[in-house]
Amino acid sequence: IGFCRALDAYWSKSGNSFAYVGAALADGQGNTNGPVVAINFNKLGYRTAFFGDSDKPLNPNEETLKIAGVCTVLWEGKVSIEERIALDLPWDGFVAMARLAIEEYGEDHVQTKLAPLFGCQPTEVSVDPEGWRNLVRDEVALRTAFAIAAKTKKAEWFKRVDQAEILGMLVTTHWCDITDKPLGLGIKQIKGWVHD
């Protein structure tokens, strides 16, 4: 919901808000409840799309949603939204994403969650995300480790609606850098469904 609100605010600047076309957001509660909610909305006569992560199987699955007439938008690569964003933002955008987590949850918390994934002690994790490259040389592995930490239980750095909205606003500031990446293509798919 928060991420979509950020997209809506961004698109509204050019007069393409959700409200303008009569679209509304509904929280389906993830990949286990969301597909059923989408199908039920569709049965009530609402043109419906399901937008969700692809790191866990849908229940019912994507084919069932399609047969029911529900448009399905899932991230490429069997990943969560945190993973897709962390992988596709340019480096400065990724650093800004990491700083959002540090500002919200504190340096100690983020260091503690990242350390096992970086293969080090919490005190070795720099409080400045720019320094993380010294611990994990492979940038994709670094970004993936951060995203895994971001979505683990008792972390879930971007799951609250307000946090996801801030993250979505960060993504829109980097729109020109991501238009042809899986993140941008997924966002274009959402926009295409809303505004077609």
Side-chain angles (χ1 to χ4, degrees):
I1 294 287
F3 186 76
C4 287
R5 283 181 183 169
L7 295 180
D8 186 34
Y10 181 67
W11 294 329
S12 292
K13 293 174 185 173
S14 60
N16 290 319
S17 71
F18 285 0
Y20 181 76
V21 295
L25 300 172
D27 187 351
Q29 302 294 312
N31 285 13
T32 51
N33 295 328
V36 173
V37 171
I39 288 170
N40 288 337
F41 269 116
N42 200 64
K43 284 179 181 175
L44 292 171
Y46 295 102
R47 197 169 140 252
T48 308
F50 174 82
F51 168 45
D53 294 341
S54 59
D55 59 334
K56 294 177 182 170
L58 296 180
N59 184 22
N61 63 26
E62 190 174 355
E63 185 62 26
T64 303
L65 285 166
K66 189 176 182 180
I67 291 167
V70 175
C71 172
T72 306
V73 180
L74 302 172
W75 298 118
E76 179 184 314
K78 298 191 178 197
V79 293
S80 66
I81 190 169
E82 296 91 343
E83 290 168 299
R84 189 73 277 149
I85 294 170
L87 289 168
D88 289 352
L89 282 175
W91 177 252
D92 61 328
F94 170 74
V95 168
M97 179 184 186
R99 287 185 176 141
L100 288 173
I102 292 167
E103 288 168 18
E104 181 73 23
Y105 293 97
E107 295 168 356
D108 290 345
H109 172 83
V110 173
Q111 288 171 308
T112 300
K113 295 298 181 186
L114 289 176
L117 296 164
F118 284 0
C120 65
Q121 295 300 312
T123 54
E124 295 175 85
V125 178
S126 172
V127 295
D128 180 0
E130 291 283 1
W132 297 349
R133 287 173 157 171
N134 298 326
L135 290 171
V136 184
R137 301 280 182 195
D138 181 323
E139 192 174 311
V140 172
L142 182 145
R143 289 168 177 253
T144 301
F146 171 82
I148 289 169
K151 69 177 189 172
T152 57
K153 288 195 183 293
K154 298 187 180 176
E156 300 172 325
W157 297 333
F158 305 104
K159 291 297 186 192
R160 280 193 345 239
V161 172
D162 61 325
Q163 296 163 327
E165 191 167 357
I166 292 167
L167 187 58
M169 289 187 284
L170 173 65
V171 167
T172 62
T173 65
H174 291 280
W175 179 247
C176 292
D177 300 309
I178 62 161
T179 55
D180 295 326
K181 294 190 174 187
L183 176 60
L185 297 175
I187 292 169
K188 286 179 188 175
Q189 194 178 353
I190 296 165
K191 186 175 184 182
W193 180 81
V194 172
H195 297 290
D196 70 359

